[in-house]
């Protein structure tokens, strides 16, 4: 008789939809960017998916990882921000939103949102700020950061170009990058063009959002389609 071997049901609540995010903080601006490709395994689900979410007037989040969890996270942050606006009659600042995101992720640490986020914007003094996260809410204010499938390629390149001062230095040095806004946008375009060559999950288009004193500006650049 033919004996059927039992197949172990290997179902996971998570998937990784790939993609890369980058943020750079300057003296009076913040550039935050992400590619628009969404994949699962070797399949491209869509070539035109925005990973960037506008959370508050001066605060934007880019998220890589499992996009269903990212959507759920964005909805929670949006609801919490609405409550804040009703209670305080003002928009949440970027550092306040950074703390809220950390708390929201940490609250779900035993069944985490499988999302890797960079939060960028302007602080109360109008200076650029970037916050980088792990999946369970540990975060840090930095001058630049990258998350997602291409981050292992992008981060060393940014380190080489921008050389952030060590957080261990005393007195603490300012983390903002010395680049002008136009130079930062050019650098973002360069890192995505490079990452696209080597990472199959990054490609199609890069969406670049620039925050400064005059508001929010968005631009796109085509990347490789293969």
């Amino acid at each position: 008789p033919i004996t059927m071997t039992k197949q172990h049901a290997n179902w996971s609540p998570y998937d990784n939809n790939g993609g890369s995010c980058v943020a750079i903080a300057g003296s009076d601006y913040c550039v935050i960017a992400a590619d628009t490709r969404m994949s699962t395994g070797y399949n491209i689900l869509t070539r035109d998916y925005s990973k960037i979410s506008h959370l508050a007037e001066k605060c934007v989040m880019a998220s890589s990882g499992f996009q269903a969890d990212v959507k759920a996270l964005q909805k929670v942050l949006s609801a919490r921000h609405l409550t804040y606006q009703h209670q305080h009659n003002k928009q949440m600042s970027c550092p306040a939103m950074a703390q809220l995101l950390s708390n929201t992720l940490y609250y779900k640490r035993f069944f985490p949102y499988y999302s890797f986020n960079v939060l960028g914007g302007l602080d109360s003094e109008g200076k650029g700020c970037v916050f980088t996260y792990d999946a369970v809410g540990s975060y840090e204010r930095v001058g630049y950061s990258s998350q997602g499938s291409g981050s292992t390629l992008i981060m060393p390149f940014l380190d080489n170009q921008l050389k952030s001062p060590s957080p261990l230095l005393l007195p603490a040095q300012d983390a903002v990058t010395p680049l002008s806004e136009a130079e930062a946008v050019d650098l973002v375009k360069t890192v995505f063009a490079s990452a696209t060559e080597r990472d199959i999950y990054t490609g199609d288009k890069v969406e670049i959002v620039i925050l400064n004193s005059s508001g929010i500006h968005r631009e796109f650049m085509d990347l490789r389609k293969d």
Side-chain angles (χ1 to χ4, degrees):
I2 300 161
T3 54
M4 295 289 284
T5 53
K6 271 188 182 171
Q7 287 284 310
H8 181 64
N10 194 14
W11 180 83
S12 166
Y14 295 121
D15 186 14
N16 189 349
N17 300 122
S20 307
C21 309
V22 169
I24 299 175
S27 54
D28 59 351
Y29 69 86
C30 180
V31 177
I32 192 156
D35 71 308
T36 62
R37 178 176 292 182
M38 183 161 75
S39 328
T40 181
Y42 289 123
N43 299 315
I44 293 175
L45 302 173
T46 173
R47 296 180 186 276
D48 196 26
Y49 181 83
S50 176
K51 297 179 179 72
I52 297 176
S53 168
H54 187 190
L55 297 178
E57 196 177 24
K58 293 178 180 173
C59 187
V60 169
M61 175 174 76
S63 311
S64 179
F66 182 33
Q67 291 301 328
D69 274 7
V70 170
K71 273 278 176 277
L73 178 62
Q74 287 170 358
K75 281 182 179 177
V76 169
L77 292 173
S78 178
R80 297 286 297 273
H81 186 224
L82 192 63
T83 307
Y84 179 94
Q85 286 175 87
H86 286 311
Q87 287 173 346
H88 301 276
N89 206 22
K90 65 174 184 182
Q91 292 263 318
M92 202 179 274
S93 71
C94 194
M97 186 63 82
Q99 183 67 61
L100 173 64
L101 176 54
S102 174
N103 294 351
T104 307
L105 292 168
Y106 191 71
Y107 180 70
K108 285 265 290 171
R109 67 191 178 280
F110 298 117
F111 184 24
Y113 291 110
Y114 190 46
S115 71
F116 301 94
N117 311 289
V118 279
L119 194 86
L122 302 174
D123 63 16
S124 53
E125 296 164 22
K127 264 203 320 212
C129 53
V130 168
F131 298 88
T132 187
Y133 292 79
D134 70 359
V136 288
S138 174
Y139 80 116
E140 181 184 11
R141 184 171 176 169
V142 290
Y144 58 88
S145 185
S146 175
Q147 291 281 13
S149 57
S151 65
T152 48
L153 304 168
I154 294 169
M155 218 44 207
F157 186 69
L158 291 176
D159 287 333
N160 174 264
Q161 295 295 306
L162 302 175
K163 296 185 181 62
S164 190
S166 165
L168 305 174
L169 286 176
L170 287 173
Q173 297 207 13
D174 207 349
V176 297
T177 60
L179 300 182
S180 72
E181 188 184 298
E183 286 170 332
V185 172
D186 282 345
L187 182 63
V188 163
K189 288 176 178 175
T190 306
V191 299
F192 272 97
S194 301
T196 305
E197 293 293 328
R198 292 285 176 183
D199 176 30
I200 62 166
Y201 301 111
T202 301
D204 298 313
K205 264 202 309 243
V206 57
E207 179 184 7
I208 305 166
V209 175
I210 303 138
L211 292 98
N212 52 33
S213 55
S214 61
I216 290 187
H217 172 64
R218 193 179 246 100
E219 60 178 89
F220 292 88
M221 182 184 80
D222 282 335
L223 297 172
R224 287 179 67 132
K225 304 273 190 287
D226 58 357

